[in-house]
Amino acid sequence: MTLALIRGQLETAATQQGISADKWKIYRDACDARTVLGLRDRALAVLNALLTFYPETELSDDENLVVFPSNAQLTARANGIAGTTLRENLALLVDAGLIHRNDSPNGKRYARKGRDGTIETAYGFSLAPLLARAKELELLAQDVAEERRHLKILKERISLRRRDIRKLISAAMEEGASGDWGMVESHYIAAVGRLSKAKSREDLSGCAEELDLLQEEVVNLLELQLI
């Protein structure tokens, strides 16, 4: 038990009453935001398995949101992952604040039903945090999608600059245009070489700006031939 987990449980308990959400929509948002949440694919497979044990499509705070599958059942529905791996990824989901442990006194997972057959008490994993964070996960997924879109545009810009600069330098060399084109080509090769080390959006932006300046320089040199 950590302070972060306690805070998460308190936030879940304070969730607005009368809300519901599609569990698979929440799951897809969690998948899209997995890098932000610090989750790997195996953890998402375990989360998927947990959701299959909740009978309804909609998660609702009016219903019991505790599922209580055994490790064997979870393993079977999570593509047969090993027991140790299962426990590790359950811990990751708890740490990420997507599920809570609702332990029984003896640590077993089970449900106690009333005379009418409805579940009165359940011990296992609570899906309530997913419902409480449904909107947050949706916004995180949108942010990730927007970042992915920006990266795609940035990479396209870099590809176009590389193509255009290479063509301009080759044309200048083939036609014997005046200027130190060997030096220009060296600058181009160095700029392209730095792309392999560019991992973040900021790094890629720096590379794109460098190629923009180099293309501008090449165009200026070629324009001087026409004066």
Side-chain angles (χ1 to χ4, degrees):
M1 180 63 69
T2 65
L3 291 178
L5 293 179
I6 294 173
R7 182 173 65 250
Q9 291 179 358
L10 291 174
E11 290 172 352
T12 300
T15 301
Q16 182 179 353
Q17 299 298 307
I19 65 171
S20 62
D22 186 313
K23 64 181 181 182
W24 298 121
K25 169 65 168 61
I26 301 174
Y27 174 73
R28 290 192 296 272
D29 288 338
C31 289
D32 290 341
R34 61 183 177 275
T35 54
V36 180
L37 298 169
L39 296 177
R40 53 200 184 197
D41 290 343
R42 284 291 181 86
L44 293 169
V46 173
L47 180 60
N48 180 289
L50 284 170
L51 288 171
T52 64
F53 287 98
Y54 185 76
E56 305 298 331
T57 300
E58 292 279 319
L59 297 180
S60 172
D61 63 354
D62 293 330
E63 303 292 335
N64 170 60
L65 294 178
V66 176
V67 292
F68 39 91
S70 66
N71 282 352
Q73 290 173 315
L74 273 176
T75 295
R77 294 198 188 182
N79 302 319
I81 63 175
T84 301
T85 305
L86 174 65
R87 290 188 290 273
E88 288 175 354
N89 286 286
L90 284 169
L92 283 176
L93 292 172
V94 172
D95 291 342
L98 297 185
I99 61 173
H100 288 162
R101 295 184 186 275
N102 190 36
D103 294 330
S104 66
N106 62 6
K108 301 292 184 180
R109 299 175 205 148
Y110 61 89
R112 183 178 293 114
K113 295 183 179 180
R115 291 182 178 179
D116 59 356
T118 60
I119 295 176
E120 292 183 340
T121 307
Y123 298 103
F125 297 102
S126 173
L127 304 176
L130 283 173
L131 179 60
R133 300 181 63 187
K135 188 62 180 179
E136 177 195 351
L137 292 172
E138 180 181 4
L139 294 176
L140 285 175
Q142 291 173 1
D143 288 344
V144 169
E146 184 66 11
E147 179 67 12
R148 190 180 298 119
R149 188 182 72 84
H150 281 303
L151 281 175
K152 182 179 179 181
I153 292 172
L154 189 55
K155 290 178 179 178
E156 288 176 350
R157 172 183 161 193
I158 289 172
S159 295
L160 290 172
R161 292 292 180 271
R162 289 181 61 179
R163 182 199 66 187
D164 293 345
I165 294 171
R166 179 70 270 174
K167 285 183 176 181
L168 290 171
I169 293 175
S170 296
M173 288 181 166
E174 290 171 2
E175 297 184 18
S178 61
D180 191 350
W181 293 104
M183 180 64 70
V184 173
E185 186 173 38
S186 296
H187 289 165
Y188 169 75
I189 292 173
V192 171
R194 281 187 279 276
L195 282 171
S196 62
K197 299 179 181 178
K199 304 301 180 183
S200 67
R201 180 178 172 184
E202 291 73 19
D203 292 340
L204 287 171
S205 293
C207 289
E209 290 172 5
E210 183 179 8
L211 290 172
D212 286 344
L213 292 174
L214 184 56
Q215 183 179 23
E216 184 178 347
E217 178 185 349
V218 170
V219 170
N220 288 339
L221 284 172
L222 290 174
E223 286 179 343
L224 289 175
Q225 313 299 313
L226 304 176
I227 297 176

